[in-house]
C-alpha cells in the first residue's frame, strides 16, 4: 500500500520497480493506492501504452494487480478532508480477504502506513512499514504527528529502513529484531546507455504545446523531478540566463510537470529572467520513460543544496550517470552517494561545489554548451562508474521476500501461542469444555487443582508428540532469526549450523532477557558446535567478529557524540562506544577469502566503530604499532606520555623517528574514529 504511478516521485517509482521485481520472483503482489486521485500538480502524464505497464503477469505465476481508491462525487463532511486513510484501509482489508494476502506493507507513513496498520489489525495479518526520507525527516518532526509515527513504527511486525537510520529506530524504541535494511528495489535494467531516446518535439506536438522553443540541433540542459530553491532551480536559471546574455544558444528542458502552482511559478521566474525562449516544460512521465528523457539531454543538472532533511538520499544523480548522460551535480548530492570518490569532477561528472555561486555554476555549464563532445565523453565515463556504484546498492527483492516470509511465519507462531493461551483460559471459564475432558488426572494430585483441571492438563500433557513438534518449530524459528546475524560464519562455516541448532534446542529456555541476549546465546552455541564437529579453530574468531560488528551497528550514539578535533592542549583516548578486540587468528585473511583451514594463528587487533554513515559501523584492523598506541590510550593520555609508554612497552628508544611514526599512526587513528580527544592539559 503506497504511492504508485500515476503519482510522480522517487517513492512512487521505487514502489513500482519493487512490486514488479517481486512478481518476477513468483509472488502475487496487490497494490492498494490512491494514485488515481493525485492532484494535477503531481500527476504523471500517461502516454499510450503506459496504463498497461502498471500491472503485469510473470513466468512462475507472479503477478502485479492494482486496486485504487476513488472519490465519489457529491460526498463531503465538515470540516472536509479527503478520507484517504479510511478508504485505503477499507480497500486493503477487502483485497486481503479476497485474495488471501499473507502480509500487508505500508510504504510511506502518511497515509499508507496508518491505513496498512488498520487493515493488518482487521485481517489479523502481519504489518511491515517502510518509511522514506521526507515522512520521517519532515512530517515526523511536527509536534502533532511525531507520537503517531513512532507508535506506528514500534508496533509494526517489520520496519524497513536504511542502514544509517538503524540507531534512530533503536532510539525510537523499535525492537532490533524487527528492523530490516536493504528493502528497496534492485537497480532497474532500463537505466543504461542503450535504449530509446525521447523525441521531445514529437512529444510537444502530441501534447498540443509549442515545439518551436526546442531546437534539436542545440545542446540540451535537462532537469527532472521536483523543482524549488533547495533543488537548485533558481540558481540554474540564473546561471543559464547569464550565458544566454553572452550569446550562447541552448535548450533548457524541465521534466518537472506543467500544471499547478509550482509550474506557474517556474514559468513566471523563467519570464522574469528572460529565458522563456530557451525553456521547455514537460509533464511528469512514467518511471520507465525517464531514461529516454535523460538520453535526449546533453547534460542533466542535479543541484540539490542545503536540503533540510539530512537523511534524504535521492537516486536521480545515479540515474543520470547510468544512462551515459553528463551529470552536473552539487557537492552535497555527490557526498550522499555510496562512493563519492567515483563521481570525479571533469572525468565522470561535473561537480559544482555550491550551486548558489552563480558565476561558478555558469562556468561549468559553459563547458557543456561550448563543448558538447566533452560532455559526451564525461557521460560515457560516468556510465562506466555507475555500473560499479549500482553493484554496491543494498536493494534486494529476493532478500526482502525472504524476510517478509519469515515475518509471516513468526506472526503465525505468535498467533499459535495466543490460541494455546486461549485454550488454557477456556479451561477456567467454560464448564462445557471442562466436562468434555474425560481422562484421569491422578498424576496431578499433588497440585492444588480441581478435578476438571487435572483432567484437562493430563490430556494436554499426554499430547507429547504435538507439543514436541510445536516446541521444535518455535526453537527452529528463533534460531533462524539469530543465525542470520552471523554472515561470516554462514559464509565460511555453514557446517556448524546443524550442530548449533541441536545445542540451541537444549539451551534456549524461551525466557525473554532482552536484546541482544538471543544473539549472544547463538554465539555461544555456534562456538561450542564448532568445537564439537572439529571445525577450523578460526571459527570462534569469526563468531566474535560477527557479534561485535552487530553490537557496533546497534549501538545508539548520543547526539553530542565526540568527533575528532584539534590536538592542541588535549589528551588522546579511545572513543566512546568503540570496542577493541584482539583475535587469535588472521581474521582479515579469512574475510578476504582465504579458506578457513588455511587461516594461520596470528594475533590481530580490530576496532569496531559505530558510525552514522551507510552500514552504521566499520571494523578497522589495527597495525601492531597502532594497536600498541590504542592499548596505552584506554585512559586519557598526552602525546608525550603516549609515545614514551609505547616505546617502553615494545622496548624501543623514543627518538625522533619513533615519535614521527607514532604521530603518523595517531593521525590515522583519529581519522578513523578509533581515538578522540579528551579535554585536559597535554
Amino acid at each position: 500500500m503506497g504511492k504508485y504511478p500515476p503519482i510522480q516521485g522517487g517513492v512512487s517509482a521505487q514502489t513500482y520497480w519493487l512490486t514488479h521485481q517481486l512478481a518476477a520472483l513468483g509472488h502475487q503482489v496487490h497494490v492498494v493506492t490512491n494514485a488515481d486521485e493525485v492532484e494535477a500538480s503531481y500527476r504523471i502524464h500517461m502516454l499510450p501504452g503506459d496504463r498497461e505497464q502498471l500491472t503485469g503477469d510473470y513466468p512462475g505465476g507472479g503477478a502485479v494487480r492494482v486496486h485504487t481508491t476513488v472519490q465519489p462525487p457529491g460526498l463531503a463532511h465538515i470540516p472536509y478532508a479527503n478520507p484517504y486513510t479510511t478508504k485505503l484501509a477499507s480497500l486493503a482489508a477487502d483485497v486481503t480477504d479476497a485474495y488471501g494476502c499473507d502480509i500487508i506493507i505500508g510504504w510511506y507513513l502518511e497515509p499508507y502506513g496508518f491505513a496498512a496498520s488498520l487493515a493488518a489489525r482487521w485481517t489479523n495479518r502481519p504489518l511491515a512499514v517502510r518509511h522514506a526520507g521526507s515522512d520521517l525527516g519532515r512530517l515526523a518532526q511536527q509536534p502533532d504527528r511525531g507520537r503517531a509515527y513512532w507508535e506506528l513504527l514500534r508496533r509494526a511486525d517489520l520496519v524497513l529502513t536504511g542502514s544509517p537510520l538503524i540507531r534512530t529506530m533503536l532510539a525510537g524504541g523499535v525492537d532490533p529484531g524487527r528492523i530490516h535494511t536493504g528493502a528497496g528495489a534492485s537497480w532497474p535494467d532500463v537505466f543504461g546507455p542503450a535504449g530509446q531516446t525521447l523525441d521531445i518535439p514529437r512529444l510537444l506536438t502530441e501534447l498540443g504545446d509549442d515545439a518551436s522553443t526546442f531546437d534539436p540541433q542545440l545542446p540540451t540542459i535537462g532537469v527532472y523531478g521536483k523543482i524549488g530553491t533547495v533543488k537548485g532551480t533558481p540558481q540554474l536559471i540564473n546561471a543559464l540566463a547569464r550565458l544566454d546574455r553572452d550569446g550562447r544558444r541552448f535548450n533548457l528542458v524541465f521534466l518537472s510537470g506543467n500544471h499547478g502552482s509550482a509550474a506557474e511559478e517556474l514559468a513566471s521566474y523563467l519570464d522574469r529572467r528572460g529565458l522563456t525562449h530557451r525553456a521547455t516544460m514537460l509533464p511528469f512521465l512514467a518511471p520507465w520513460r525517464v531514461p529516454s528523457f535523460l538520453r535526449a539531454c546533453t547534460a542533466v543538472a542535479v543541484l540539490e543544496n542545503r536540503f533540510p532533511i539530512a537523511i534524504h538520499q535521492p537516486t536521480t544523480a545515479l540515474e543520470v550517470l547510468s544512462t551515459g548522460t553528463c551529470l552536473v551535480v552539487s557537492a552535497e548530492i555527490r557526498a550522499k552517494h555510496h562512493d563519492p570518490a567515483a563521481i570525479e569532477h571533469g572525468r565522470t561528472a561535473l561537480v559544482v561545489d555550491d550551486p548558489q555561486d552563480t558565476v561558478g555554476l555558469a562556468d561549468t555549464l559553459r563547458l557543456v554548451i561550448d563543448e558538447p563532445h566533452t560532455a559526451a565523453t564525461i557521460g560515457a565515463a560516468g556510465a562506466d562508474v555507475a555500473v560499479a556504484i549500482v553493484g554496491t546498492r543494498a536493494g534486494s527483492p529476493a532478500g526482502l521476500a525472504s524476510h517478509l516470509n519469515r515475518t509471516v511465519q513468526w506472526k503465525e507462531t505468535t498467533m499459535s501461542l495466543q490460541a494455546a493461551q486461549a485454550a488454557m483460559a477456556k479451561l477456567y471459564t467454560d464448564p462445557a469444555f471442562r466436562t468434555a475432558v474425560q481422562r484421569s488426572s491422578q498424576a496431578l494430585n499433588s497440585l492444588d487443582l480441581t478435578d476438571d483441571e487435572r483432567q484437562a492438563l493430563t490430556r494436554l500433557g499426554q499430547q507429547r508428540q504435538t507439543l514436541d513438534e510445536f516446541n521444535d518449530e518455535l526453537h527452529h524459528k528463533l534460531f533462524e532469526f539469530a543465525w542470520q546475524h552471523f554472515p561470516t560464519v554462514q559464509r565460511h562455516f555453514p557446517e556448524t549450523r546443524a550442530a548449533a541448532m541441536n545445542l540451541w534446542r537444549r539451551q534456549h529456555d524461551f525466557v525473554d532477557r532482552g536484546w541482544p541476549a538471543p544473539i549472544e546465546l547463538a554465539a555461544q552455541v555456534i562456538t561450542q558446535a564448532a568445537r564439537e564437529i572439529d571445525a577450523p579453530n578460526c571459527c570462534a574468531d569469526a563468531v566474535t567478529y560477527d557479534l561485535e560488528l552487530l553490537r557496533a551497528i546497534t549501538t545508539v550514539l548520543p547526539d553530542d557524540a565526540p568527533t575528532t578535533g584539534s590536538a592542541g592542549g588535549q589528551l588522546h583516548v579511545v572513543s566512546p562506544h568503540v570496542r577493541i578486540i584482539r583475535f587469535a587468528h588472521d581474521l582479515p585473511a579469512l574475510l578476504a577469502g582465504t579458506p578457513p583451514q588455511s587461516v594461520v594463528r596470528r594475533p590481530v587487533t580490530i576496532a569496531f566503530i559505530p558510525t552514522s554513515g551507510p552500514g552504521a559501523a566499520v571494523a578497522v584492523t589495527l597495525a601492531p604499532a597502532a594497536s600498541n598506541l590504542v592499548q596505552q590510550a584506554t585512559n586519557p593520555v598526552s602525546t608525550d606520555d603516549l609515545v614514551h609508554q609505547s616505546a617502553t612497552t615494545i622496548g624501543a628508544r623514543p627518538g625522533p623517528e619513533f615519535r614521527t611514526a607514532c604521530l603518523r599512526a595517531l593521525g590515522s587513528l583519529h581519522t578513523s574514529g578509533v581515538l578522540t580527544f579528551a579535554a585536559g592539559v597535554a
Side-chain angles (χ1 to χ4, degrees), residues 150-206:
W150 281 109
E151 292 289 351
L152 172 64
L153 291 167
R154 283 191 288 265
R155 283 163 171 73
D157 297 294
L158 183 65
V159 175
L160 309 173
T161 187
S163 296
L165 291 173
I166 290 177
R167 288 197 191 87
T168 301
M169 293 295 144
L170 296 176
V174 178
D175 186 330
R178 299 184 178 189
I179 297 173
H180 175 64
T181 60
S186 58
W187 195 250
D189 293 336
V190 296
F191 284 97
Q196 292 184 340
T197 298
L198 182 65
D199 188 335
I200 295 177
R202 180 180 176 181
L203 175 60
L204 290 170
T205 301
E206 292 175 353

Side-chain angles (χ1 to χ4, degrees), residues 4-86:
Y4 199 78
I7 298 175
Q8 68 85 213
V11 174
S12 173
Q14 273 282 311
T15 307
Y16 173 80
W17 296 122
L18 181 61
T19 54
H20 283 264
Q21 289 169 7
L22 288 171
L25 294 172
H27 300 284
Q28 294 278 331
V29 184
H30 291 269
V31 180
V32 174
T33 181
N34 55 353
D36 282 348
E37 295 190 61
V38 65
E39 53 268 46
S41 301
Y42 304 107
R43 178 182 290 273
I44 290 172
H45 179 78
M46 304 295 278
L47 296 174
D50 282 349
R51 280 282 173 185
E52 290 75 11
Q53 295 287 330
L54 298 179
T55 59
D57 293 284
Y58 292 85
V64 176
R65 297 291 181 263
V66 179
H67 313 267
T68 185
T69 61
V70 296
Q71 177 64 8
L75 293 182
H77 49 81
I78 300 173
Y80 179 73
N82 195 330
Y84 283 136
T85 301
T86 306

